[in-house]
Amino acid sequence: MERNAIDTTEEASLLKVLGNWDVLALGFGAMIGFGWVVLTGDWIGSAGTLGAVLAMMAGGVIMGVVGLTYAELTAAMPKAGGEHNFLLRGMGPRWSFIGSWGIVGGYVTIVAFEAVALPRTALYLFPDLNQVKLWDVAGSEVYLTWALVGAIAAVVITTVNILGVKFASVAQTFVVVLLLIIGLMLVFGSFTGGSIENMQPLITGGTAGFFAVLVVVPFLFVGFDVIPQSAEEVNVPARQIGRLVVIAVVLATIWYLITIVTTSSAMPAGELAEADIATADAFGAMFGNDVMAKLLIAGGIAGILTSWNSLLLGASRLMYSMARSGMLPAWFGKLHPRFRTPINALLFIGGLSFIAPFLGEAMLVWLVDSGSPSIVIAYLLVSVVFLVLRRREPQMDRPLRVGGKGKGGLLIGGAAVVLCTGLLSLYLPGMPAFLDVQPWILFGAWWILGAFFLLRIPTGIKPGQEAEHRLLEALKQRRAPTGGPPS
């Protein structure tokens, strides 16, 4: 293994520069991307106002329970990589890789989603943006000027992350504040220009409508786990890091509920169904001014940037940790000599987001659907390892112990396992919200690539505190005869 991938000296470490608000802004901002702007109308159309509210509340409860398991584990193991460290200690290297690869896949799909969502949003503000047609992808026309909006943004956001986590967190805070202002205006507009009559029908679509909303929950809430990814750069007590995970989930749930209720109050369901971007048109209708619709689109852009920035940060830290453990090539474990950020991991993910807009708008739905099962797989494994460590290491130092020392914690962990299993089943054929073929192709391609790295991880390495050390030693011995570093 090359020195830069496993060196834990101060010179090669990440910087501890993030405070309470920085962490909360990263977690909350990661969850509030662009989905609330473009998908709210679909939620209301599928399930009705009350149906969508109930589905989102159920999703918030599921993510809250999972978030509690993350809170305890993050406080106990505040190292970069989150799931990677939890699973390595509790279940060993191969399970750690599976969980980590699932989250990286989810993060990468959402980063790519934001790179496509940005030019789609810009088109709402600038109708003449589409110039110089390049090609068609799945019936979606791709224009050079349209694609360049996302590609150039990918370069800017990747550069911001390379310049340092504190720099990225300052930018994140600024944009989150703009989001919160938009949220307050949504509530105000609903009271002054909305109507309860517009919320009818309260429930449509029955069970299928409810699950159509519930199935997007992993995509909407992914991001609270960015907090564990950046834990090694957080300069607050470990117990507080865990609490911030749960607070971020609660805030995101409130945000999505506000979006559903205010949007449905603004316009009748039939008009919302015909709207190009329902939440923006609803915002304009509440204030009786098209300028306000464009202002909400600015809020949507803020959401894109916060989610993009946070998940790029989280994915790069996770790939850095996997490389540091020898699960990925050492190239991903290189830190920038000055800014001490995982530069190669950032460049890799940034490169994928640069390419995404050139694949067209049809990619939006595919990316949402393909990443969600991978995210739930990771959440399920974290819930399982929460129970494993409670049983195997009852005396483990836990600055934040959810549910106390008795059966309360086991009940929370068990509930998380059951809920994640149920959520994962919704994506399967025959279920109310099964996925189309294209998302499964993307999902399969990601896991086939992962299998290449998984099969290179030595078997028989026991979990525990020394699992990472044992894995690195096994990799060194494997490559010792050739004299080359393990990859």
Side-chain angles (χ1 to χ4, degrees), residues 29 32-38 114 117-126 171-172 174-183 185-186 255 277 279-281 283-284 289-308:
I32 309 303
F34 191 59
W36 64 279
V37 177
V38 293
E114 307 298 7
L118 183 61
R120 186 187 189 283
T121 312
L123 187 62
Y124 188 95
L125 298 175
F126 306 102
Q172 182 84 352
F174 175 80
V175 183
V176 165
V177 169
L178 174 60
L179 259 181
L180 294 177
I181 292 172
I182 295 293
M185 293 181 69
L186 270 171
W255 176 272
I277 300 182
T279 308
D281 290 349
F283 196 57
N289 192 325
D290 288 342
V291 173
M292 298 305 290
K294 296 185 183 300
L295 179 61
L296 185 125
I297 290 296
I301 292 174
I304 290 171
L305 297 178
T306 57
S307 178
W308 193 342

Side-chain angles (χ1 to χ4, degrees), residues 1-7 323-324 329-334 344 472 476 484-487:
M1 175 66 83
E2 293 178 6
R3 179 180 180 272
N4 59 25
I6 62 172
D7 194 346
R324 190 166 61 176
W331 184 84
F332 289 104
K334 180 181 179 182
N344 288 344
L472 291 172
K476 284 181 181 179
S487 58

Side-chain angles (χ1 to χ4, degrees), residues 6-7 25 28 32 44 56 59 94 104 108 111 159 164 245 257 264 284 303 324 337 341 370 409 420 462 474 486:
I6 62 172
D7 194 346
F28 174 74
I32 309 303
I44 296 169
M56 196 58 64
R94 290 205 162 189
V104 170
V108 169
V111 167
T159 301
V245 172
L257 293 175
S264 67
R324 190 166 61 176
T341 50
S370 67
C420 287
K462 295 181 180 180

Side-chain angles (χ1 to χ4, degrees), residues 55-66 210-222 224 369 371-380 383 415-429 431-435 440:
M56 196 58 64
M57 288 179 65
V61 170
I62 293 171
M63 291 298 104
V65 173
V66 175
F210 177 87
F211 284 122
V213 179
L214 186 63
V215 78
V216 300
V217 161
F219 173 81
L220 296 173
F221 281 83
V222 67
F224 71 85
D369 291 345
S372 293
S374 293
I375 295 165
V376 180
I377 288 171
Y379 289 167
L380 175 60
S383 302
V417 171
V418 171
L419 291 170
C420 287
T421 302
L423 198 55
L424 187 61
S425 70
L426 296 180
Y427 302 107
L428 301 177
M431 297 301 289
F434 70 92
L435 302 183
W440 281 120

